[in-house]
Structures are given as C-alpha cells and as structure tokens.
mmCIF file of all heavy atoms in Angstrom:
data_model
loop_
_atom_site.group_PDB
_atom_site.id
_atom_site.type_symbol
_atom_site.label_atom_id
_atom_site.label_comp_id
_atom_site.label_asym_id
_atom_site.label_seq_id
_atom_site.Cartn_x
_atom_site.Cartn_y
_atom_site.Cartn_z
ATOM 1 N N THR O 1 107.960 81.531 99.954
ATOM 2 C CA THR O 1 107.960 80.070 99.912
ATOM 3 C C THR O 1 107.956 79.454 101.305
ATOM 4 O O THR O 1 107.761 78.239 101.437
ATOM 5 C CB THR O 1 109.179 79.547 99.139
ATOM 6 O OG1 THR O 1 110.387 79.965 99.803
ATOM 7 C CG2 THR O 1 109.187 80.089 97.708
ATOM 8 N N GLU O 2 108.186 80.262 102.346
ATOM 9 C CA GLU O 2 108.133 79.745 103.709
ATOM 10 C C GLU O 2 107.128 80.496 104.568
ATOM 11 O O GLU O 2 107.069 80.294 105.778
ATOM 12 C CB GLU O 2 109.517 79.816 104.359
ATOM 13 C CG GLU O 2 110.033 81.231 104.563
ATOM 14 C CD GLU O 2 111.311 81.272 105.394
ATOM 15 O OE1 GLU O 2 111.786 80.192 105.785
ATOM 16 O OE2 GLU O 2 111.822 82.378 105.637
ATOM 17 N N SER O 3 106.356 81.382 103.964
ATOM 18 C CA SER O 3 105.390 82.186 104.722
ATOM 19 C C SER O 3 104.119 81.382 104.951
ATOM 20 O O SER O 3 103.131 81.530 104.228
ATOM 21 C CB SER O 3 105.084 83.488 103.978
ATOM 22 O OG SER O 3 106.244 84.276 103.854
ATOM 23 N N ALA O 4 104.157 80.541 105.968
ATOM 24 C CA ALA O 4 103.017 79.685 106.271
ATOM 25 C C ALA O 4 102.194 80.211 107.435
ATOM 26 O O ALA O 4 100.980 80.033 107.463
ATOM 27 C CB ALA O 4 103.494 78.261 106.575
ATOM 28 N N ALA O 5 102.836 80.872 108.396
ATOM 29 C CA ALA O 5 102.149 81.354 109.581
ATOM 30 C C ALA O 5 101.968 82.870 109.516
ATOM 31 O O ALA O 5 102.525 83.549 108.652
ATOM 32 C CB ALA O 5 102.931 80.969 110.839
ATOM 33 N N ILE O 6 101.185 83.396 110.458
ATOM 34 C CA ILE O 6 100.943 84.839 110.525
ATOM 35 C C ILE O 6 102.250 85.594 110.715
ATOM 36 O O ILE O 6 102.478 86.642 110.096
ATOM 37 C CB ILE O 6 99.974 85.155 111.678
ATOM 38 C CG1 ILE O 6 98.605 84.519 111.425
ATOM 39 C CG2 ILE O 6 99.831 86.655 111.861
ATOM 40 C CD1 ILE O 6 97.891 85.077 110.228
ATOM 41 N N ARG O 7 103.121 85.063 111.557
ATOM 42 C CA ARG O 7 104.410 85.720 111.811
ATOM 43 C C ARG O 7 105.221 85.815 110.532
ATOM 44 O O ARG O 7 105.872 86.839 110.265
ATOM 45 C CB ARG O 7 105.179 84.948 112.879
ATOM 46 C CG ARG O 7 106.562 85.504 113.168
ATOM 47 C CD ARG O 7 107.273 84.667 114.224
ATOM 48 N NE ARG O 7 108.629 85.129 114.432
ATOM 49 C CZ ARG O 7 109.670 84.763 113.708
ATOM 50 N NH1 ARG O 7 109.491 83.901 112.690
ATOM 51 N NH2 ARG O 7 110.881 85.219 113.958
ATOM 52 N N ASP O 8 105.224 84.773 109.715
ATOM 53 C CA ASP O 8 105.966 84.792 108.458
ATOM 54 C C ASP O 8 105.407 85.859 107.517
ATOM 55 O O ASP O 8 106.156 86.564 106.844
ATOM 56 C CB ASP O 8 105.899 83.418 107.783
ATOM 57 C CG ASP O 8 106.510 82.329 108.639
ATOM 58 O OD1 ASP O 8 107.526 82.595 109.285
ATOM 59 O OD2 ASP O 8 105.959 81.212 108.666
ATOM 60 N N GLY O 9 104.081 85.958 107.451
ATOM 61 C CA GLY O 9 103.484 86.977 106.617
ATOM 62 C C GLY O 9 103.820 88.377 107.090
ATOM 63 O O GLY O 9 104.045 89.278 106.273
ATOM 64 N N LEU O 10 103.870 88.570 108.404
ATOM 65 C CA LEU O 10 104.221 89.876 108.948
ATOM 66 C C LEU O 10 105.657 90.242 108.606
ATOM 67 O O LEU O 10 105.955 91.388 108.240
ATOM 68 C CB LEU O 10 104.022 89.873 110.464
ATOM 69 C CG LEU O 10 104.275 91.194 111.193
ATOM 70 C CD1 LEU O 10 103.330 92.277 110.676
ATOM 71 C CD2 LEU O 10 104.105 91.006 112.701
ATOM 72 N N VAL O 11 106.564 89.277 108.705
ATOM 73 C CA VAL O 11 107.960 89.521 108.344
ATOM 74 C C VAL O 11 108.074 89.887 106.864
ATOM 75 O O VAL O 11 108.818 90.805 106.482
ATOM 76 C CB VAL O 11 108.825 88.291 108.672
ATOM 77 C CG1 VAL O 11 110.231 88.441 108.104
ATOM 78 C CG2 VAL O 11 108.897 88.080 110.182
ATOM 79 N N ALA O 12 107.330 89.192 106.016
ATOM 80 C CA ALA O 12 107.358 89.501 104.582
ATOM 81 C C ALA O 12 106.835 90.905 104.309
ATOM 82 O O ALA O 12 107.378 91.628 103.457
ATOM 83 C CB ALA O 12 106.538 88.468 103.812
ATOM 84 N N ALA O 13 105.777 91.321 105.028
ATOM 85 C CA ALA O 13 105.238 92.670 104.845
ATOM 86 C C ALA O 13 106.238 93.734 105.285
ATOM 87 O O ALA O 13 106.378 94.776 104.632
ATOM 88 C CB ALA O 13 103.928 92.817 105.622
ATOM 89 N N ILE O 14 106.946 93.486 106.386
ATOM 90 C CA ILE O 14 107.973 94.431 106.833
ATOM 91 C C ILE O 14 109.139 94.450 105.856
ATOM 92 O O ILE O 14 109.693 95.511 105.527
ATOM 93 C CB ILE O 14 108.440 94.055 108.256
ATOM 94 C CG1 ILE O 14 107.283 94.199 109.245
ATOM 95 C CG2 ILE O 14 109.620 94.916 108.685
ATOM 96 C CD1 ILE O 14 107.610 93.719 110.646
ATOM 97 N N PHE O 15 109.525 93.285 105.358
ATOM 98 C CA PHE O 15 110.595 93.169 104.377
ATOM 99 C C PHE O 15 110.254 93.966 103.123
ATOM 100 O O PHE O 15 111.123 94.586 102.496
ATOM 101 C CB PHE O 15 110.804 91.693 104.049
ATOM 102 C CG PHE O 15 112.124 91.380 103.398
ATOM 103 C CD1 PHE O 15 113.060 92.359 103.152
ATOM 104 C CD2 PHE O 15 112.421 90.074 103.025
ATOM 105 C CE1 PHE O 15 114.276 92.066 102.549
ATOM 106 C CE2 PHE O 15 113.625 89.771 102.421
ATOM 107 C CZ PHE O 15 114.553 90.767 102.180
ATOM 108 N N ALA O 16 108.977 93.962 102.737
ATOM 109 C CA ALA O 16 108.547 94.672 101.536
ATOM 110 C C ALA O 16 108.729 96.180 101.667
ATOM 111 O O ALA O 16 108.872 96.884 100.656
ATOM 112 C CB ALA O 16 107.093 94.342 101.227
ATOM 113 N N LEU O 17 108.745 96.701 102.902
ATOM 114 C CA LEU O 17 108.955 98.133 103.093
ATOM 115 C C LEU O 17 110.330 98.573 102.579
ATOM 116 O O LEU O 17 110.489 99.695 102.089
ATOM 117 C CB LEU O 17 108.813 98.488 104.578
ATOM 118 C CG LEU O 17 107.419 98.293 105.193
ATOM 119 C CD1 LEU O 17 107.461 98.564 106.684
ATOM 120 C CD2 LEU O 17 106.404 99.194 104.514
ATOM 121 N N PHE O 18 111.319 97.692 102.675
ATOM 122 C CA PHE O 18 112.645 98.025 102.157
ATOM 123 C C PHE O 18 112.626 98.120 100.633
ATOM 124 O O PHE O 18 113.333 98.943 100.045
ATOM 125 C CB PHE O 18 113.659 96.977 102.616
ATOM 126 C CG PHE O 18 113.951 97.007 104.087
ATOM 127 C CD1 PHE O 18 113.255 96.202 104.971
ATOM 128 C CD2 PHE O 18 114.915 97.860 104.596
ATOM 129 C CE1 PHE O 18 113.512 96.235 106.324
ATOM 130 C CE2 PHE O 18 115.191 97.905 105.960
ATOM 131 C CZ PHE O 18 114.481 97.088 106.819
ATOM 132 N N ALA O 19 111.808 97.274 99.997
ATOM 133 C CA ALA O 19 111.674 97.365 98.544
ATOM 134 C C ALA O 19 111.001 98.662 98.140
ATOM 135 O O ALA O 19 111.332 99.257 97.107
ATOM 136 C CB ALA O 19 110.889 96.162 98.015
ATOM 137 N N VAL O 20 110.041 99.125 98.948
ATOM 138 C CA VAL O 20 109.409 100.422 98.683
ATOM 139 C C VAL O 20 110.427 101.541 98.825
ATOM 140 O O VAL O 20 110.515 102.443 97.973
ATOM 141 C CB VAL O 20 108.220 100.640 99.637
ATOM 142 C CG1 VAL O 20 107.642 102.044 99.460
ATOM 143 C CG2 VAL O 20 107.138 99.603 99.394
ATOM 144 N N ALA O 21 111.219 101.507 99.893
ATOM 145 C CA ALA O 21 112.230 102.552 100.105
ATOM 146 C C ALA O 21 113.279 102.547 99.001
ATOM 147 O O ALA O 21 113.791 103.605 98.614
ATOM 148 C CB ALA O 21 112.896 102.357 101.468
ATOM 149 N N ALA O 22 113.599 101.372 98.461
ATOM 150 C CA ALA O 22 114.613 101.274 97.407
ATOM 151 C C ALA O 22 114.160 101.955 96.121
ATOM 152 O O ALA O 22 114.998 102.293 95.274
ATOM 153 C CB ALA O 22 114.946 99.810 97.128
ATOM 154 N N GLN O 23 112.859 102.184 95.959
ATOM 155 C CA GLN O 23 112.387 102.880 94.767
ATOM 156 C C GLN O 23 112.921 104.305 94.698
ATOM 157 O O GLN O 23 113.112 104.860 93.609
ATOM 158 C CB GLN O 23 110.854 102.892 94.745
ATOM 159 C CG GLN O 23 110.219 101.515 94.674
ATOM 160 C CD GLN O 23 108.714 101.567 94.822
ATOM 161 O OE1 GLN O 23 108.097 102.616 94.645
ATOM 162 N NE2 GLN O 23 108.103 100.434 95.153
ATOM 163 N N ALA O 24 113.185 104.916 95.862
ATOM 164 C CA ALA O 24 113.694 106.290 95.895
ATOM 165 C C ALA O 24 115.136 106.385 95.412
ATOM 166 O O ALA O 24 115.618 107.488 95.151
ATOM 167 C CB ALA O 24 113.582 106.849 97.313
ATOM 168 N N LEU O 25 115.831 105.257 95.314
ATOM 169 C CA LEU O 25 117.196 105.291 94.801
ATOM 170 C C LEU O 25 117.249 105.673 93.326
ATOM 171 O O LEU O 25 118.261 106.171 92.839
ATOM 172 C CB LEU O 25 117.863 103.926 94.996
ATOM 173 C CG LEU O 25 118.075 103.464 96.440
ATOM 174 C CD1 LEU O 25 118.606 102.039 96.456
ATOM 175 C CD2 LEU O 25 119.036 104.397 97.163
ATOM 176 N N TYR O 26 116.150 105.439 92.602
ATOM 177 C CA TYR O 26 116.133 105.662 91.165
ATOM 178 C C TYR O 26 115.308 106.878 90.761
ATOM 179 O O TYR O 26 115.598 107.510 89.747
ATOM 180 C CB TYR O 26 115.576 104.421 90.456
ATOM 181 C CG TYR O 26 116.376 103.175 90.719
ATOM 182 C CD1 TYR O 26 115.954 102.223 91.638
ATOM 183 C CD2 TYR O 26 117.580 102.949 90.066
ATOM 184 C CE1 TYR O 26 116.691 101.088 91.889
ATOM 185 C CE2 TYR O 26 118.333 101.816 90.320
ATOM 186 C CZ TYR O 26 117.875 100.883 91.229
ATOM 187 O OH TYR O 26 118.620 99.761 91.479
ATOM 188 N N SER O 27 114.288 107.198 91.526
ATOM 189 C CA SER O 27 113.432 108.323 91.157
ATOM 190 C C SER O 27 112.776 108.890 92.402
ATOM 191 O O SER O 27 112.380 108.137 93.302
ATOM 192 C CB SER O 27 112.353 107.882 90.161
ATOM 193 O OG SER O 27 111.440 108.933 89.904
ATOM 194 N N GLN O 28 112.683 110.226 92.458
ATOM 195 C CA GLN O 28 112.011 110.910 93.547
ATOM 196 C C GLN O 28 110.982 111.886 92.991
ATOM 197 O O GLN O 28 110.721 112.935 93.576
ATOM 198 C CB GLN O 28 113.028 111.628 94.435
ATOM 199 C CG GLN O 28 114.043 110.696 95.072
ATOM 200 C CD GLN O 28 115.095 111.427 95.890
ATOM 201 O OE1 GLN O 28 114.925 112.594 96.225
ATOM 202 N NE2 GLN O 28 116.189 110.742 96.193
ATOM 203 N N SER O 29 110.398 111.523 91.861
ATOM 204 C CA SER O 29 109.389 112.367 91.236
ATOM 205 C C SER O 29 108.105 112.346 92.057
ATOM 206 O O SER O 29 107.935 111.523 92.970
ATOM 207 C CB SER O 29 109.100 111.890 89.817
ATOM 208 O OG SER O 29 108.535 110.587 89.837
ATOM 209 N N ILE O 30 107.182 113.241 91.712
ATOM 210 C CA ILE O 30 105.916 113.315 92.441
ATOM 211 C C ILE O 30 105.124 112.018 92.261
ATOM 212 O O ILE O 30 104.544 111.483 93.219
ATOM 213 C CB ILE O 30 105.103 114.528 91.947
ATOM 214 C CG1 ILE O 30 105.842 115.828 92.293
ATOM 215 C CG2 ILE O 30 103.711 114.528 92.576
ATOM 216 C CD1 ILE O 30 105.144 117.075 91.807
ATOM 217 N N VAL O 31 105.109 111.493 91.039
ATOM 218 C CA VAL O 31 104.376 110.257 90.781
ATOM 219 C C VAL O 31 104.987 109.097 91.570
ATOM 220 O O VAL O 31 104.273 108.297 92.185
ATOM 221 C CB VAL O 31 104.358 109.942 89.276
ATOM 222 C CG1 VAL O 31 103.705 108.591 89.014
ATOM 223 C CG2 VAL O 31 103.640 111.045 88.512
ATOM 224 N N GLN O 32 106.315 109.017 91.564
ATOM 225 C CA GLN O 32 106.987 107.940 92.297
ATOM 226 C C GLN O 32 106.736 108.056 93.789
ATOM 227 O O GLN O 32 106.488 107.065 94.475
ATOM 228 C CB GLN O 32 108.481 107.976 92.005
ATOM 229 C CG GLN O 32 109.288 106.874 92.680
ATOM 230 C CD GLN O 32 108.968 105.506 92.118
ATOM 231 O OE1 GLN O 32 109.192 105.246 90.951
ATOM 232 N NE2 GLN O 32 108.421 104.632 92.942
ATOM 233 N N THR O 33 106.802 109.283 94.312
ATOM 234 C CA THR O 33 106.561 109.497 95.733
ATOM 235 C C THR O 33 105.140 109.123 96.117
ATOM 236 O O THR O 33 104.904 108.502 97.162
ATOM 237 C CB THR O 33 106.842 110.960 96.103
ATOM 238 O OG1 THR O 33 108.196 111.297 95.749
ATOM 239 C CG2 THR O 33 106.648 111.192 97.587
ATOM 240 N N ALA O 34 104.173 109.501 95.270
ATOM 241 C CA ALA O 34 102.773 109.142 95.541
ATOM 242 C C ALA O 34 102.590 107.623 95.555
ATOM 243 O O ALA O 34 101.863 107.079 96.395
ATOM 244 C CB ALA O 34 101.863 109.788 94.499
ATOM 245 N N TRP O 35 103.261 106.945 94.616
ATOM 246 C CA TRP O 35 103.178 105.476 94.587
ATOM 247 C C TRP O 35 103.776 104.867 95.849
ATOM 248 O O TRP O 35 103.213 103.914 96.416
ATOM 249 C CB TRP O 35 103.904 104.954 93.348
ATOM 250 C CG TRP O 35 103.878 103.455 93.225
ATOM 251 C CD1 TRP O 35 104.769 102.566 93.774
ATOM 252 C CD2 TRP O 35 102.907 102.663 92.549
ATOM 253 N NE1 TRP O 35 104.424 101.275 93.466
ATOM 254 C CE2 TRP O 35 103.279 101.307 92.714
ATOM 255 C CE3 TRP O 35 101.757 102.965 91.803
ATOM 256 C CZ2 TRP O 35 102.548 100.260 92.167
ATOM 257 C CZ3 TRP O 35 101.027 101.918 91.261
ATOM 258 C CH2 TRP O 35 101.429 100.584 91.448
ATOM 259 N N MET O 36 104.908 105.405 96.296
ATOM 260 C CA MET O 36 105.549 104.891 97.499
ATOM 261 C C MET O 36 104.658 105.088 98.721
ATOM 262 O O MET O 36 104.563 104.206 99.581
ATOM 263 C CB MET O 36 106.899 105.571 97.698
ATOM 264 C CG MET O 36 107.942 105.216 96.648
ATOM 265 S SD MET O 36 109.449 106.208 96.800
ATOM 266 C CE MET O 36 110.002 105.747 98.439
ATOM 267 N N ILE O 37 104.003 106.255 98.824
ATOM 268 C CA ILE O 37 103.108 106.505 99.954
ATOM 269 C C ILE O 37 101.924 105.543 99.922
ATOM 270 O O ILE O 37 101.515 104.998 100.957
ATOM 271 C CB ILE O 37 102.634 107.968 99.937
ATOM 272 C CG1 ILE O 37 103.823 108.907 100.198
ATOM 273 C CG2 ILE O 37 101.550 108.199 100.980
ATOM 274 C CD1 ILE O 37 103.482 110.379 100.062
ATOM 275 N N PHE O 38 101.376 105.310 98.728
ATOM 276 C CA PHE O 38 100.265 104.379 98.601
ATOM 277 C C PHE O 38 100.694 102.965 98.993
ATOM 278 O O PHE O 38 99.978 102.267 99.730
ATOM 279 C CB PHE O 38 99.743 104.395 97.164
ATOM 280 C CG PHE O 38 98.641 103.405 96.909
ATOM 281 C CD1 PHE O 38 97.357 103.630 97.374
ATOM 282 C CD2 PHE O 38 98.898 102.230 96.220
ATOM 283 C CE1 PHE O 38 96.340 102.714 97.150
ATOM 284 C CE2 PHE O 38 97.889 101.302 95.985
ATOM 285 C CZ PHE O 38 96.608 101.547 96.457
ATOM 286 N N ALA O 39 101.869 102.525 98.494
ATOM 287 C CA ALA O 39 102.364 101.191 98.838
ATOM 288 C C ALA O 39 102.639 101.081 100.329
ATOM 289 O O ALA O 39 102.345 100.045 100.950
ATOM 290 C CB ALA O 39 103.637 100.889 98.035
ATOM 291 N N LEU O 40 103.182 102.142 100.920
ATOM 292 C CA LEU O 40 103.432 102.139 102.360
ATOM 293 C C LEU O 40 102.128 102.017 103.133
ATOM 294 O O LEU O 40 102.033 101.229 104.086
ATOM 295 C CB LEU O 40 104.162 103.426 102.751
ATOM 296 C CG LEU O 40 104.378 103.665 104.250
ATOM 297 C CD1 LEU O 40 105.230 102.568 104.861
ATOM 298 C CD2 LEU O 40 105.025 105.034 104.481
ATOM 299 N N GLY O 41 101.113 102.769 102.726
ATOM 300 C CA GLY O 41 99.825 102.681 103.406
ATOM 301 C C GLY O 41 99.201 101.304 103.284
ATOM 302 O O GLY O 41 98.620 100.783 104.248
#
C-alpha cells in the first residue's frame, strides 16, 4: 500500500524472501524445497 517508488518495491521483494524462508518451518519436502528455490530465483 506504500510501494510507490523503486526503492519501496525493492524493500517489498527483500521482505518477501522472509516469507519464502518461513515455508521451511512447516515442510522441508522435495516439492516444498523446489518451490522455495523457484520463488527465490
């Protein structure tokens, strides 16, 4: 809701990496790991 500039978008993209890492708290299966690598890329 405040991502108006390039810097804001970059912060949101970095913030999203923590959400990707949080997926490992619930599952570390091969499918989940592949999804996390794809999302990270």
Side-chain angles (χ1 to χ4, degrees):
T1 61
E2 65 171 1
S3 297
I6 296 295
R7 177 181 176 275
D8 299 322
L10 183 60
V11 171
I14 296 174
F15 198 1
L17 295 175
F18 291 93
V20 175
Q23 298 173 18
L25 296 174
Y26 301 101
S27 174
Q28 300 177 15
S29 64
I30 295 178
V31 175
Q32 182 68 63
T33 303
W35 180 273
M36 292 172 61
I37 294 174
F38 177 75
L40 174 61

